[in-house]
Amino acid sequence: MSDRIAKLRADGIIKRLVKEGRGPLPEYQDGAKATFHYRTMLCRPPEQVLDDSRTRGKPMELIIGKKFKLPVWETVLQTMREGEVSEFLCDLKHVVLYPMVSKSLRNIAAGRDPLEGQRHCCGIAQMHENPSLGYPDLDDLQQNPQPLIFNMEMIKVESPGSYRQEAWAMSDEEKLKAVPVIHQEGNELYKEGKVQEAAIKYYDAIACLKNLQMKEQPGSPDWLQLDQQITPLLLNYCQCKLLTAEYYEVLDHCSSILNKYEDNVKAYFKRAKAHAAVWNAAEAQADFAKVLELDPSLGPVVTRELRSLETRLREKEDEDKIRFKGIFSQ
């Protein structure tokens, strides 16, 4: 271990052991998965915390040998035992791409595409092409680079083949094979009433396909084929969001589908329900009318939805009258 620490120091990385780990040092062979918590801090006092995986409710996972965009993490993790907590002070040369990496990790935590706003090019080029990352602290770090401190807690190390990879760590071929499996898992969770868990599965499958789609020319046959696979997953995701009352997300996604596929009945129906839920009565009625136009067999379902909307509107109108009467009588 002393040789490893000496090599780290020679490469501009200073390790400070905070808590001893347990057992022997794991075999960090290519394909092994390290699961860990991290806290990123600035060096200059006071030590401002940039990111903390503990606040996001889920630890970070890194596959050894998959060329993570911040190679220094793979380097330092390979000096850690399970259960160990250590701090690593890393020279600037190791962390110059941290703002871009942090943005991707924050996007993942927020349920967005980790590659949102990025072109398919190297990190340095992206830094020049994207002067603002959308986060003031990351913009400041990008404009004023400095060494960083990483506080790492190693939770577990799993050998290759003993775990299921996260979508971001898969090869293109692995992503294509995983999508139908993840889709089915989402369906099973939905049937069991585990709506939020199902939404996560649908999102993971969408992320796999979106990542592949970014590598294709928009509008090309391969791009369109991937988009046609994304659409039913996105509609399933929207159904989950309807049930969790996240109506504006449903409106955004269904509108994006209808901008490309004007005859998608399910997208019109789900958007109509979302419009009705947020009191956009005219928009809801227009979408329900479009559903009937495209599929008259849905008449009974649409009639029921419209009656429900009319009842809710009358109740809201009565409530408003009582409320306003109380205001004007004071």
Side-chain angles (χ1 to χ4, degrees):
M1 178 63 75
S2 59
D3 290 342
R4 288 175 177 266
I5 301 303
K7 287 181 180 179
L8 287 182
R9 188 176 292 271
D11 197 27
I13 303 169
I14 299 174
K15 177 176 180 177
R16 183 176 73 86
L17 182 66
V18 178
K19 176 187 172 184
E20 288 278 1
R22 59 183 179 272
L25 186 70
E27 290 186 26
Y28 287 97
Q29 62 199 99
D30 283 357
K33 181 169 77 170
T35 302
F36 60 97
H37 276 299
Y38 69 92
R39 183 186 302 115
T40 306
M41 296 170 286
L42 300 179
C43 289
R44 57 177 178 241
E47 293 179 346
Q48 176 188 344
V49 175
L50 290 174
D51 295 296
D52 189 340
S53 62
R54 293 171 185 81
T55 66
R56 297 170 183 171
K58 185 180 180 181
M60 174 72 181
E61 296 176 350
L62 187 148
I63 310 298
I64 302 300
K66 281 286 188 176
K67 297 183 179 180
F68 184 62
K69 284 190 176 181
L70 201 67
V72 70
W73 274 12
E74 189 169 320
T75 299
V76 301
L77 289 171
Q78 292 185 68
T79 71
M80 299 182 68
R81 293 179 169 85
E82 290 188 345
E84 177 183 329
V85 180
S86 288
E87 282 191 352
F88 300 89
L89 171 58
C90 301
D91 279 356
L92 178 58
K93 67 179 180 180
H94 294 295
V95 297
V96 67
L97 289 180
Y98 185 79
M100 293 294 300
V101 172
S102 176
K103 176 184 177 179
S104 292
L105 294 176
R106 292 181 187 188
N107 282 349
I108 291 171
R112 299 197 298 271
D113 187 341
L115 299 177
E116 181 180 293
Q118 299 180 25
R119 292 183 179 180
H120 189 63
C121 58
C122 73
I124 296 295
Q126 288 171 6
M127 288 173 64
H128 290 299
E129 291 190 7
N130 297 279
S132 176
L133 297 171
Y135 299 96
D137 56 345
L138 297 182
D139 287 341
D140 182 62
L141 180 60
Q142 184 163 279
Q143 293 162 13
N144 305 285
Q146 62 168 292
L148 295 174
I149 298 170
F150 299 114
N151 179 290
M152 303 291 208
E153 178 188 359
M154 180 61 70
I155 299 172
K156 62 181 176 179
V157 180
E158 298 169 271
S159 59
S162 66
Y163 62 88
R164 178 166 171 177
Q165 293 189 56
E166 294 285 340
W168 59 265
M170 295 178 185
S171 67
D172 289 355
E173 184 179 353
E174 289 169 338
K175 288 185 177 75
L176 281 173
K177 289 181 179 178
V179 166
V181 177
I182 301 172
H183 190 169
Q184 183 59 35
E185 289 173 349
N187 290 346
E188 293 299 324
L189 287 167
Y190 185 85
K191 290 176 185 176
E192 294 170 9
K194 299 176 181 177
V195 176
Q196 292 182 326
E197 293 89 339
I200 292 171
K201 290 291 184 181
Y202 295 137
Y203 177 83
D204 286 345
I206 291 166
C208 286
L209 294 170
K210 284 281 190 182
N211 183 270
L212 294 171
Q213 193 182 41
M214 288 180 68
K215 301 176 183 179
E216 304 294 342
Q217 182 68 31
S220 68
D222 288 340
W223 188 95
L224 289 171
Q225 184 178 13
L226 289 166
D227 203 60
Q228 287 165 3
Q229 290 179 258
I230 290 169
T231 299
L233 284 162
L234 192 53
L235 287 168
N236 286 357
Y237 180 78
C238 286
Q239 179 61 28
C240 294
K241 293 301 174 180
L242 277 174
L243 295 176
T244 55
E246 297 173 73
Y247 303 118
Y248 289 101
E249 191 168 355
V250 176
L251 293 175
D252 287 342
H253 289 312
C254 287
S255 294
S256 72
I257 291 172
L258 291 168
N259 284 336
K260 293 176 288 186
Y261 307 106
E262 297 178 356
D263 60 347
N264 193 299
V265 178
K266 291 183 178 180
Y268 275 115
F269 187 79
K270 294 182 195 304
R271 192 173 72 172
K273 285 177 69 70
H275 273 310
V278 296
W279 305 106
N280 296 337
E283 291 86 348
Q285 290 164 348
D287 278 351
F288 280 130
K290 192 67 178 179
V291 170
L292 283 179
E293 177 187 326
L294 293 169
D295 189 350
S297 70
L298 292 174
V301 177
V302 170
T303 299
R304 185 167 63 248
E305 292 290 341
L306 287 171
R307 284 176 179 169
S308 175
L309 175 59
E310 290 170 2
T311 299
R312 289 175 59 241
L313 287 170
R314 283 196 300 271
E315 290 172 351
K316 185 175 184 296
E317 184 178 353
D318 292 341
E319 289 173 3
D320 288 343
K321 286 179 179 178
I322 294 171
R323 187 180 302 113
F324 289 129
K325 182 179 180 181
I327 292 173
F328 291 122
S329 64
Q330 291 179 1

